[in-house]
Amino acid sequence: DADVTQTPRNRITKTGKRIMLECSQTKGHDRMYWYRQDPGLGLRLIYYSFDVKDINKGEISDGYSVSRQAQAKFSLSLESAIPNQTALYFCATSDTPFEQFFGPGTRLTVL
Amino acid sequence: QKEVEQNSGPLSVPEGAIASLNCTYSDRGSQSFFWYRQYSGKSPELIMSIYSNGDKEDGRFTAQLNKASQYVSLLIRDSQPSDSATYLCLAGTYKYIFGTGTRLKVLA
């Protein structure tokens, strides 16, 4: 079984819809992260969490929110999706600050 | 100036050659650096970390760090077609800034 799983793997939605992307991990790591990846822009941090009660904004948090439901679960929400949120989204986990393990990614398309 | 800069490539090298990938950074507070490899359509995976000036070797990979000049590099010896991927540099600060990556193509 994969250590870091993301659901759904692909999603097509319409402008204005609320979307939730989910991440689960079995690695036992406290730290979890959400990134988006766009061609030419690389990986950019949206939110990160060092434990269940700790949530921090990353470089590009506007338009996104997160929930850390448990040590193993970290969800990313788009309250009202817009086309420029079309991207590949990655969840990652770590037990040290920068040695991260990434999930398989969610490809999100907003029409 | 971007905080972490990489040449986007593609960098093409023949099989068996040394591939040299470079990364420069602007935050002098960065103390550690990480190289991730990302195959097309896959997620990034950590391949090297370096915390102090000098060289760190792991198999065919060598990471080099020069804090005075603010650059970090990754050398891949005896390059193989399976090394063809995009290589991402991460500067270890609370901002978690990745470079945009260098695409490497190893030609058989």
Side-chain angles (χ1 to χ4, degrees):
Chain A
D1 288 342
D3 294 321
V4 185
T5 58
Q6 292 184 234
T7 55
R9 295 293 312 280
N10 289 282
R11 182 72 184 267
I12 300 174
T13 191
K14 295 182 179 180
T15 297
K17 294 291 187 181
R18 185 177 187 273
I19 295 296
M20 179 180 286
L21 309 182
E22 298 184 325
C23 177
S24 295
Q25 53 113 347
T26 59
K27 299 188 76 68
H29 293 165
D30 287 327
R31 300 167 189 249
M32 298 187 73
Y33 313 79
W34 275 105
Y35 291 90
R36 65 176 280 177
Q37 188 171 41
D38 301 271
L41 295 178
L43 278 166
R44 292 182 292 166
L45 183 65
I46 306 172
Y47 272 95
Y48 61 104
S49 169
F50 287 170
D51 66 40
V52 175
K53 296 182 179 180
D54 176 74
I55 303 288
N56 304 281
K57 293 183 177 181
E59 181 187 2
I60 53 162
S61 59
D62 288 348
Y64 301 95
S65 63
V66 291
S67 173
R68 184 82 184 265
Q69 300 96 322
Q71 186 209 31
K73 296 184 182 296
F74 193 34
S75 299
L76 176 72
S77 293
L78 288 67
E79 297 301 326
S80 179
I82 57 177
N84 77 358
Q85 291 177 313
T86 293
L88 184 57
Y89 289 84
F90 286 107
C91 173
T93 75
S94 72
D95 60 0
T96 60
F98 304 107
E99 298 179 355
Q100 300 177 16
F101 295 84
F102 284 79
T106 294
R107 187 167 297 280
L108 177 65
T109 303
V110 184
L111 301 176
Chain B
Q1 179 190 9
K2 293 181 181 178
E3 295 199 40
V4 179
E5 294 206 57
Q6 296 181 255
N7 188 316
S8 61
L11 171 66
S12 295
V13 300
E15 184 175 357
I18 296 175
S20 177
L21 306 164
N22 299 312
C23 172
T24 59
Y25 61 95
S26 61
D27 186 348
R28 287 194 173 273
S30 301
Q31 295 297 312
S32 53
F33 300 86
F34 305 83
W35 284 99
Y36 285 78
R37 177 177 62 200
Q38 186 175 22
Y39 291 114
S40 180
K42 301 296 184 183
S43 53
E45 59 177 327
L46 179 68
I47 57 171
M48 285 288 285
S49 59
I50 187 164
Y51 294 85
S52 55
N53 277 330
D55 295 359
K56 178 183 178 183
E57 187 174 317
D58 183 1
R60 295 187 297 111
F61 298 97
T62 298
Q64 299 176 318
L65 175 59
N66 184 322
K67 291 184 179 180
S69 300
Q70 294 178 251
Y71 81 80
V72 57
S73 60
L74 179 70
L75 302 179
I76 305 175
R77 290 183 300 282
D78 187 24
S79 295
Q80 300 298 309
S82 58
D83 294 324
S84 298
T86 296
Y87 290 80
L88 305 169
C89 172
L90 170 64
T93 72
Y94 73 94
K95 297 179 185 177
Y96 295 88
I97 302 293
F98 278 86
T100 54
T102 298
R103 187 169 152 227
L104 173 66
K105 296 176 71 173
V106 181
L107 307 173

